[in-house]
Amino acid sequence: MFESLQNKTVIVTGASRGIGLGIAKRFGQAGLNVLVVSRSLADAQAVAEGIGANASAFAADVSEESACQAMVNAAVERYGSVDVLAANAGIFPSARIEDMTTADFDHVIATNLRSSFLSTKAVLPVMKKNGFGRIVLTSSITGPITGYPGWSHYAASKAGQLGFMRTAAIELASAGITINAVMPGNILTEGLDGMGADYQAEMAASIPLRRLGSVDDIANAVLFFATREAGFITGQTLVIDGGQVLPESSAALA
Ligand code: NAP
C-alpha cells in the first residue's frame, strides 16, 4: 500500500522506553536504520539490541544544542543520512503553580519544547540537501486541548510545540520537508506508570473507547506521517486518544 521506507534512516529521541521505544521498534520493523536516543546510553543500547542490526544507540540530552548536533552527526556517520526525525523525548513532572519553581518550569520547557527546535534545527541541513525530510513531534492533548492540575508547565510546552510546528512547516516546505505532530491521550508507558493505578483507572473511565492507549497506537501514526504518501500533509496534528477529548460531560459517556 505504501512505498517502502526500507534503508531510510530515522532518529527517535526519548526511545529508551515508552512511546519512543514503540516508535523505534515500529520503524525498525519497517526496515529503516534507527538511531535510538536517550540520555542513558545503556538503556538506548538495550533497545537498539532488541531491534536488531539496523539499530544503534546514542546518548544525548536533547535540551542541549551541541548534543542535538552530535546526534545528527552520529546518524550521518553511521547511516549516511537522516530522512526522518521523531522528536519524542519529553518529561511530565507534576507541580502546582504555587509550588513550581522557575527552574522546574524552565526544565520542562527546555526538555519538551526547546528540544523540538534544537533537533529540527540540527537535522535541517541534511534533509535540505536530500530535498526530503519527515519530522514528527510528539505533543499531547494536554495543553493544546485539555488541562490537568500540576501540568501547567507541561501543557505550555506541548502547546508550544504546535506553534513552533506551524511556522516551521511553512519555512521547510520548499525543501521538501514536512513537519507534523501526534497528540497522544493517555498511553500506557513507564512514564504513566508513575502516575499510579488510581490515575490510570480515572483516565480509562473518561475514554469513550474505555482503555488507555498503547505505544503502538502512537507508533503507527508516526510511521504514517513518515511515508512518502503523507508528503502533502504538513503542519498538522493527529489526536490519538480513544476519543477522550470528545465528551462534553461525564453524562455523555454513559
Ligand atoms: P517515558 O516513558 O517517561 O519516556 C521518556 C523518554 O524520554 C525516555 O526514553 C527518556 O530517557 C527520554 N528523555 C527524557 N528526557 C530526555 C532528554 N533531556 N534528552 C533525551 N531523552 C530524554 O515517557 P512517555 O510516556 O513515553 O512520553 C514520551 C513522549 O510522549 C513525551 O514527549 C510525552 O510528553 C508524550 N506524551 C505521553 C503521553 C502518555 O500518556 N504517556 C501522553 C501524551 C504525550 P532518559 O531518561 O534516559 O533520557
Side-chain angles (χ1 to χ4, degrees):
M1 184 167 120
F2 293 106
E3 192 177 305
S4 171
L5 292 170
Q6 192 103 23
N7 299 324
K8 290 200 177 291
T9 296
V10 61
I11 296 175
V12 186
T13 71
S16 63
R17 54 179 190 268
I19 292 174
L21 167 55
I23 295 170
K25 272 191 184 162
R26 192 72 194 83
F27 276 104
Q29 288 161 358
L32 288 87
N33 304 310
V34 186
L35 193 73
V36 176
V37 179
S38 67
R39 287 168 300 178
S40 161
L41 183 61
D43 290 353
Q45 264 164 349
V47 171
E49 279 162 25
I51 293 172
N54 55 332
S56 63
F58 191 78
D61 179 340
V62 290
S63 65
E64 292 176 9
E65 185 161 13
S66 58
C68 286
Q69 191 56 62
M71 166 182 92
V72 172
N73 291 348
V76 172
E77 276 160 27
R78 294 178 197 179
Y79 303 118
S81 196
V82 183
D83 306 286
V84 184
L85 166 67
N88 164 81
I91 53 171
F92 33 96
S94 178
R96 284 187 173 253
I97 295 163
E98 62 255 57
D99 304 320
M100 191 185 294
T101 64
T102 304
D104 293 336
F105 184 86
D106 287 350
H107 182 50
V108 169
I109 296 292
T111 305
N112 297 0
L113 176 56
R114 187 165 75 195
S115 63
S116 298
F117 153 62
L118 291 176
S119 54
T120 296
K121 184 174 181 185
V123 87
L124 262 192
V126 186
M127 289 184 172
K128 272 187 136 173
K129 203 169 113 198
N130 294 343
F132 177 90
R134 298 280 185 266
I135 300 171
V136 188
L137 310 178
T138 305
S139 174
S140 177
I141 58 169
T142 309
I145 303 177
T146 64
Y148 199 86
W151 277 343
S152 60
H153 47 2
Y154 176 77
S157 73
K158 294 286 144 181
Q161 284 182 294
L162 302 187
F164 168 77
M165 174 193 74
R166 292 188 179 107
T167 288
I170 300 169
E171 289 190 21
L172 308 187
S174 60
I177 303 166
T178 67
I179 178 167
N180 293 288
V182 287
M183 295 167 66
N186 282 270
I187 309 301
L188 261 181
T189 64
E190 292 85 338
L192 208 75
D193 267 350
M195 301 297 298
D198 287 352
Y199 173 89
Q200 290 180 21
E202 172 199 332
M203 284 302 158
S206 70
I207 297 172
L209 285 173
R210 300 290 188 207
R211 66 167 176 91
L212 300 188
S214 71
V215 297
D216 286 342
D217 290 325
I218 308 303
N220 287 324
V222 175
L223 184 69
F224 167 68
F225 277 131
T227 60
R228 195 166 281 284
E229 288 80 357
F232 203 50
I233 305 170
T234 195
Q236 301 306 308
T237 57
L238 185 58
V239 173
I240 306 159
D241 72 341
Q244 187 173 357
V245 300
L246 300 177
E248 291 182 15
S249 72
S250 51
L253 275 164

